[in-house]
Coordinates of all heavy atoms in Angstrom, one line a residue:
D34 N 102.6 110.5 44.7 CA 104.0 110.1 44.8 C 104.7 111.1 45.8 O 105.3 112.1 45.4 CB 104.7 110.2 43.5 CG 106.1 109.6 43.5 OD1 106.7 109.5 44.6 OD2 106.6 109.3 42.4
K69 N 98.3 120.9 48.2 CA 97.9 120.3 47.0 C 96.6 119.5 47.2 O 95.7 119.5 46.4 CB 99.0 119.4 46.4 CG 100.4 120.1 46.2 CD 101.5 119.2 45.8 CE 101.9 118.1 46.7 NZ 102.5 118.6 48.0
C160 N 112.8 107.6 38.9 CA 112.8 108.4 40.1 C 114.1 108.3 40.8 O 115.0 109.2 40.7 CB 111.6 108.0 40.9 SG 111.5 108.9 42.4
S193 N 120.1 117.9 49.6 CA 119.5 117.8 48.3 C 118.0 117.4 48.4 O 117.6 116.5 47.6 CB 120.3 116.8 47.4 OG 119.7 116.5 46.3
S194 N 117.3 118.0 49.3 CA 115.8 117.7 49.3 C 115.1 119.0 49.6 O 115.5 119.7 50.6 CB 115.5 116.6 50.4 OG 114.1 116.4 50.4
N195 N 114.1 119.3 48.8 CA 113.3 120.5 49.1 C 112.1 120.0 49.9 O 111.0 119.9 49.4 CB 112.9 121.1 47.8 CG 112.1 122.4 48.0 OD1 111.9 122.8 49.2 ND2 111.7 123.0 46.9
A198 N 108.5 121.4 49.8 CA 107.6 121.0 48.8 C 107.3 119.5 48.9 O 106.2 119.1 48.7 CB 108.3 121.3 47.4
T199 N 108.4 118.7 49.1 CA 108.2 117.3 48.9 C 108.0 116.4 50.1 O 107.7 115.2 49.9 CB 109.5 116.7 48.2 OG1 110.6 116.9 49.1 CG2 109.8 117.5 46.9
I220 N 122.1 121.5 52.2 CA 123.1 121.4 51.1 C 122.4 121.3 49.8 O 121.7 120.3 49.5 CB 124.1 120.3 51.3 CG1 124.7 120.3 52.7 CG2 125.2 120.3 50.2 CD1 125.7 119.2 53.1
E221 N 122.5 122.3 48.9 CA 121.6 122.4 47.8 C 122.4 122.9 46.5 O 123.5 123.3 46.6 CB 120.5 123.4 48.1 CG 119.1 122.7 48.2 CD 118.6 122.1 47.0 OE1 119.1 122.3 45.9 OE2 117.6 121.3 47.1
A222 N 121.7 122.8 45.4 CA 122.2 123.4 44.2 C 121.7 124.9 44.0 O 122.3 125.6 43.3 CB 121.8 122.6 43.0
Y223 N 120.6 125.2 44.7 CA 120.1 126.6 44.7 C 119.3 126.8 46.0 O 119.0 125.8 46.7 CB 119.3 126.9 43.4 CG 117.9 126.4 43.4 CD1 116.8 127.2 43.5 CD2 117.6 125.0 43.3 CE1 115.5 126.7 43.5 CE2 116.3 124.5 43.2 CZ 115.3 125.4 43.4 OH 114.0 124.9 43.3
T225 N 116.3 126.9 47.7 CA 114.9 126.4 47.6 C 114.1 127.0 48.7 O 114.6 127.6 49.6 CB 114.9 124.9 47.7 OG1 115.3 124.6 49.0 CG2 115.8 124.2 46.6
V237 N 126.2 124.0 46.5 CA 127.4 123.3 45.8 C 127.2 123.3 44.3 O 126.1 123.4 43.8 CB 127.4 121.8 46.2 CG1 127.8 121.6 47.7 CG2 126.1 121.0 45.9
P239 N 126.6 121.5 41.1 CA 125.9 120.3 40.9 C 126.8 119.1 40.5 O 127.7 119.3 39.8 CB 124.9 120.6 39.8 CG 124.6 122.0 39.9 CD 125.9 122.6 40.4
G240 N 126.5 118.0 41.1 CA 127.3 116.8 40.8 C 128.6 116.6 41.6 O 129.3 115.7 41.3
D242 N 128.7 116.6 45.2 CA 128.4 116.2 46.6 C 129.3 115.1 47.1 O 129.6 115.1 48.3 CB 126.9 115.9 46.7 CG 126.1 117.1 46.3 OD1 125.9 117.2 45.1 OD2 125.6 117.8 47.2
G315 N 118.0 113.6 49.9 CA 117.0 113.7 48.8 C 117.6 113.1 47.6 O 118.6 112.5 47.6
T316 N 116.8 113.3 46.5 CA 117.1 112.5 45.3 C 117.9 113.3 44.2 O 118.6 112.8 43.4 CB 115.9 111.9 44.7 OG1 115.2 111.1 45.8 CG2 116.1 110.9 43.6
G317 N 117.6 114.6 44.2 CA 118.1 115.5 43.1 C 119.6 115.2 42.8 O 120.0 115.0 41.7
M318 N 120.4 115.2 43.9 CA 121.9 115.1 43.6 C 122.3 113.7 43.1 O 123.4 113.5 42.6 CB 122.7 115.3 44.9 CG 122.4 114.3 46.0 SD 123.5 114.5 47.4 CE 122.7 113.6 48.6
R320 N 120.4 112.2 40.8 CA 120.0 112.2 39.3 C 121.1 112.8 38.5 O 120.9 113.8 37.7 CB 118.6 112.9 39.2 CG 117.5 112.2 39.9 CD 116.1 112.7 39.4 NE 115.2 112.1 40.3 CZ 114.4 112.8 41.2 NH1 114.6 114.1 41.2 NH2 113.6 112.2 42.0
Q321 N 122.2 112.3 38.7 CA 123.5 112.7 38.0 C 124.1 111.5 37.5 O 123.9 110.4 38.0 CB 124.4 113.4 39.0 CG 123.8 114.6 39.8 CD 124.1 115.9 39.1 OE1 124.9 115.9 38.1 NE2 123.6 117.0 39.6
Y458 N 106.8 105.4 51.0 CA 108.2 105.2 51.0 C 109.0 106.1 51.9 O 110.2 106.2 51.9 CB 108.7 105.3 49.5 CG 108.5 106.6 48.8 CD1 109.4 107.7 48.9 CD2 107.4 106.8 48.1 CE1 109.2 108.9 48.2 CE2 107.1 108.0 47.4 CZ 108.1 109.0 47.5 OH 107.9 110.2 46.8
I577 N 119.3 122.4 36.2 CA 118.7 121.6 37.3 C 117.2 121.6 37.2 O 116.6 122.6 37.0 CB 119.1 122.2 38.7 CG1 120.6 122.2 38.9 CG2 118.4 121.5 39.8 CD1 121.1 120.8 39.1
P580 N 111.5 120.1 42.1 CA 110.0 120.0 42.3 C 109.4 121.4 42.6 O 110.0 122.3 43.1 CB 109.9 119.1 43.6 CG 111.3 119.2 44.2 CD 112.3 119.5 43.2
S581 N 108.1 121.5 42.3 CA 107.3 122.7 42.6 C 106.5 122.4 43.9 O 106.1 121.3 44.1 CB 106.4 123.0 41.5 OG 105.4 123.9 41.9
V582 N 106.2 123.4 44.6 CA 105.4 123.3 45.8 C 103.9 123.0 45.4 O 103.2 122.4 46.2 CB 105.5 124.6 46.7 CG1 104.5 124.5 47.9 CG2 106.9 124.8 47.1
S584 N 102.6 121.3 42.7 CA 102.3 120.2 41.8 C 103.1 119.0 42.2 O 104.1 119.2 42.9 CB 102.5 120.5 40.3 OG 103.8 121.1 40.2
I585 N 102.8 117.8 41.8 CA 103.6 116.6 41.9 C 103.9 116.1 40.5 O 102.9 115.6 39.9 CB 103.0 115.5 42.8 CG1 102.8 116.1 44.2 CG2 103.9 114.3 42.8 CD1 102.4 115.0 45.2
N586 N 105.0 116.3 40.0 CA 105.3 115.9 38.6 C 104.2 116.6 37.8 O 103.9 117.8 38.0 CB 105.5 114.4 38.5 CG 106.6 113.9 39.5 OD1 107.6 114.5 39.6 ND2 106.3 112.9 40.3
C681 N 119.3 115.9 36.5 CA 120.0 117.1 37.0 C 121.4 117.2 36.4 O 122.2 118.0 36.9 CB 120.0 117.1 38.5 SG 118.4 117.3 39.2
Ligands
MGD6 N1 105.3 119.3 45.9 C1 105.9 118.3 45.4 N2 106.2 117.2 46.1 C2 106.8 116.1 45.6 C3 107.1 116.0 44.2 C4 106.8 117.2 43.4 O1 107.1 117.3 42.2 N3 106.3 118.3 44.1 N4 107.7 114.9 43.6 C5 107.6 113.7 44.4 C6 108.6 112.8 43.9 S1 108.2 111.9 42.5 C7 109.8 112.6 44.5 S2 110.9 111.5 43.8 C8 110.2 113.3 45.7 C9 111.5 114.0 45.5 O2 111.8 114.7 46.7 P1 113.2 115.4 46.9 O3 114.2 114.3 47.0 O4 113.0 116.3 48.0 O5 113.3 116.2 45.6 P2 114.1 116.1 44.2 O6 113.2 116.3 43.1 O7 114.8 114.8 44.2 O8 115.2 117.3 44.3 C10 115.7 117.8 45.5 C11 116.7 118.9 45.3 O9 117.9 118.4 44.7 C12 118.6 119.5 44.3 N5 119.7 119.1 43.5 C13 119.8 118.8 42.2 N6 121.1 118.5 41.9 C14 121.8 118.6 43.0 C15 123.2 118.4 43.3 O10 124.0 118.0 42.5 N7 123.6 118.6 44.6 C16 122.7 119.0 45.5 N8 123.2 119.1 46.8 N9 121.4 119.2 45.3 C17 121.0 119.0 44.0 C18 117.5 120.3 43.5 O11 117.9 121.7 43.5 C19 116.3 120.0 44.4 O12 115.9 121.1 45.1 O13 109.2 114.3 46.0 C20 107.8 113.9 45.8 N10 107.0 115.0 46.3

Side-chain angles (χ1 to χ4, degrees):
D34 191 342
K69 306 177 292 299
C160 179
S193 170
S194 180
N195 183 1
T199 61
I220 307 179
E221 251 295 346
Y223 77 109
T225 63
V237 294
D242 300 78
T316 307
M318 66 173 165
R320 295 196 188 110
Q321 301 268 355
Y458 60 91
I577 296 292
S581 160
V582 177
S584 49
I585 297 189
N586 307 313
C681 295

